[in-house]
């Protein structure tokens, strides 16, 4: 059976980009057609300055949002990365397979390290090495597919390269995974800055729709989206990025092609109004379920506990095999 792995980092409140680019597909498609594991990748949230209490809170909230979005623990495994020691165990080995130069080539590293330096902040070593930990997240489960938004494609590519290299040098331990992207919503852009992706750790919340924003707040953010001065509506990702983003969001919510939607609008205001309404409606059931789950943290913790037990069972044989293959003495 196909195996799928993906994750979400508790580095901020979960956004519409996370939902349309990744989570919705995990819920609607992936958990039904494969053995699927979905992980709150909490160790990844420690790669930049962080507040311990906030990471703890956001980790539980991310898990509860995944369940509220419709992940069903009877169909898939939902767990926290730090609860399964195999991730860190394998990351140690993969750091001996990856090169420092290839870690530095990652666009996300260059961008975040650059921003930290410009702000006079230090860069954690883990920011450089986290794509290797992410490779361990994926390879430890011998995942065939990794459904992510397109910003993560370069990291999945690194995981592929490390799998191939390890297998060639030390023996066939890993499955070489492939990335799967959403047909729509693979890159939702910031509503105020349509040249940059909507990110949960963005400095400004004005252009970011969070899944738990109140409906009025969502409507206000969408209505204030930056478009352009040209009259009319057309779908042109390069030339009219703000409009294209709205059309893609509406497309992801309605199932209609952005091109077709563009033809049915005479002006940006009407498009914004319909997009705001579509987003509010798409998120309404999720918000309601999340309210129920947050009243029952014991349930969410139980799901994570059972998920971790299952994940450990799946990863341990592969990670043990990697330890033997690379030349480490088996424990007696
Ligand atoms: P951060 O800003 O801290 O990196 P993030 O919003 O990018 O947070 P991640 O936890 O890194 O969130 O990613 C979770 C999933 O959501 C990944 O599959 C990622 O590719 C996807 N994703 C993130 N942002 C977007 C976006 N703007 N559009 C589509 N998919 C996205
Ligand atoms: Mg990200």
């Amino acid at each position: 059976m196909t195996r799928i792995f993906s994750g979400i980092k508790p580095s901020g409140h979960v956004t519409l980009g996370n939902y349309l680019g990744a989570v919705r597909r995990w819920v609607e498609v992936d958990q039904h057609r494969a053995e699927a594991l979905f992980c709150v990748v909490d160790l990844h949230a420690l790669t930049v300055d962080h507040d311990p209490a906030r990471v703890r809170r956001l980790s539980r909230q991310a898990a509860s949002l995944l369940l509220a979005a419709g992940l069903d623990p009877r169909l898939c495994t939902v767990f926290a990365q730090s609860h399964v020691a195999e991730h860190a165990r394998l990351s140690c080995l993969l750091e001996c397979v990856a090169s420092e130069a290839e870690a530095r080539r990652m666009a996300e590293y260059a961008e975040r390290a650059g921003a930290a330096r410009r702000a006079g902040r230090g860069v954690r070593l883990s920011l450089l090495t986290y794509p290797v930990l992410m490779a361990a997240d994926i390879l430890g489960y011998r995942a065939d597919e990794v459904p992510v938004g397109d910003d993560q494609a370069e990291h999945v590519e690194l995981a592929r390269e490390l799998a191939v290299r390890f297998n060639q040098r030390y023996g066939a331990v890993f499955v070489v995974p492939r990335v799967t992207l959403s047909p729509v919503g693979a890159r939702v852009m910031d509503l105020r800055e349509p040249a940059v992706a909507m990110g949960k750790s963005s400095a400004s919340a004005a252009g970011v729709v969070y899944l738990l924003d109140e409906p009025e707040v969502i409507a206000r953010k969408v209505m204030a989206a930056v478009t352009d001065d040209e009259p009319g509506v057309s779908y042109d990702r390069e030339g009219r990025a703000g409009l294209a983003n709205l059309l893609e969001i509406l497309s992801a919510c309605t199932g209609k092609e952005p091109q077709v939607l563009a033809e049915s609008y005479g002006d940006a205001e009407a498009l914004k109004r319909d997009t705001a309404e579509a987003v509010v409606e798409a998120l309404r059931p999720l918000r309601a379920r999340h309210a129920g789950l947050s009243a029952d943290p014991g349930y969410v913790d139980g799901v994570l506990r059972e998920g971790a037990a299952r994940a450990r069972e799946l990863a341990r044989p592969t990670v043990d095999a990697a330890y033997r293959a690379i030349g480490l003495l088996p424990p007696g």
Side-chain angles (χ1 to χ4, degrees):
M1 193 184 200
T2 303
R3 199 173 281 172
I4 290 181
F5 176 92
S6 199
I8 186 153
K9 178 169 56 171
S11 49
H13 294 281
V14 181
T15 72
L16 183 66
N18 302 138
Y19 183 65
L20 297 179
V23 176
R24 192 173 68 162
R25 197 160 35 116
W26 304 349
V27 169
E28 291 177 359
V29 184
D30 296 329
Q31 67 173 343
H32 299 287
R33 68 174 181 89
E35 163 138 41
L37 296 111
F38 300 109
C39 184
V40 177
V41 280
D42 46 3
L43 295 170
H44 295 274
L46 311 184
T47 56
V48 291
D49 292 353
H50 78 284
D51 168 23
R54 183 167 188 264
V55 167
R56 207 174 291 124
R57 196 168 62 242
L58 289 174
S59 296
R60 192 181 269 127
Q61 186 185 78
S64 114
L65 276 171
L66 293 183
L67 299 174
L71 287 185
D72 180 345
R74 291 167 303 186
L75 298 175
C76 66
T77 303
V78 180
F79 68 105
Q81 181 189 31
S82 64
H83 293 175
V84 181
E86 271 54 41
H87 295 243
R89 280 182 72 212
L90 182 54
S91 186
C92 264
L93 298 197
L94 295 181
E95 285 192 14
C96 307
V97 176
S99 76
E100 179 249 357
E102 66 193 335
R104 280 193 202 282
R105 271 200 298 275
M106 296 293 120
E108 185 173 299
Y109 172 72
E111 189 188 304
R112 296 202 171 174
R117 287 197 195 97
R118 281 193 299 279
R121 281 184 276 115
V123 177
R124 294 186 178 182
L125 180 58
S126 56
L127 186 68
L128 179 65
T129 57
Y130 111 82
V132 178
L133 174 59
M134 176 166 158
D137 301 338
I138 298 164
L139 300 184
Y141 296 99
R142 297 171 55 83
D144 304 284
E145 293 180 16
V146 189
V148 288
D150 77 354
D151 61 309
Q152 287 296 334
E154 63 167 357
H155 294 154
V156 181
E157 185 54 35
L158 176 68
R160 287 172 61 83
E161 284 165 18
L162 298 183
V164 169
R165 200 176 303 156
F166 187 103
N167 287 349
Q168 277 169 354
R169 282 187 194 160
Y170 306 114
V173 172
F174 299 120
V175 167
V176 181
R178 65 179 177 279
V179 71
T180 55
L181 297 174
S182 252
V184 280
R187 179 166 289 223
V188 177
M189 309 310 282
D190 189 289
L191 295 170
R192 290 295 182 92
E193 270 186 274
V196 304
M198 185 181 282
K200 71 170 110 61
S201 47
S202 293
S204 162
V208 181
V209 171
Y210 301 103
L211 301 190
L212 295 179
D213 275 344
E214 297 292 334
E216 309 78 72
V217 174
I218 295 178
R220 197 164 62 234
K221 287 178 176 174
V222 175
M223 294 309 292
V226 168
T227 52
D228 53 60
D229 299 330
E230 269 180 61
V233 173
S234 57
Y235 180 53
D236 170 4
R237 269 189 148 195
E238 256 84 76
R240 309 189 77 184
L243 280 178
N245 190 35
L246 290 168
L247 288 164
E248 287 178 13
I249 292 171
L250 186 58
S251 165
C253 295
T254 59
K256 294 183 189 147
E257 290 297 317
Q259 192 73 54
V260 173
L261 288 168
E263 285 159 19
S264 59
Y265 287 97
D267 65 86
E269 283 308 294
L271 169 63
K272 286 181 189 176
R273 255 195 317 277
D274 285 0
T275 305
E277 195 182 312
V279 171
V280 167
E281 287 315 312
L283 299 181
R284 194 182 293 284
L286 185 154
R287 282 170 51 81
R289 285 195 294 262
H290 180 263
L293 284 166
S294 53
D296 190 2
Y299 171 75
V300 177
D301 289 349
V303 168
L304 292 179
R305 197 166 47 243
E306 283 171 28
R310 167 90 185 123
R312 229 174 267 130
E313 207 175 276
L314 288 175
R316 192 166 287 160
T318 302
V319 177
D320 284 349
Y323 266 65
R324 283 193 300 277
I326 207 169
L328 298 169
L329 194 60

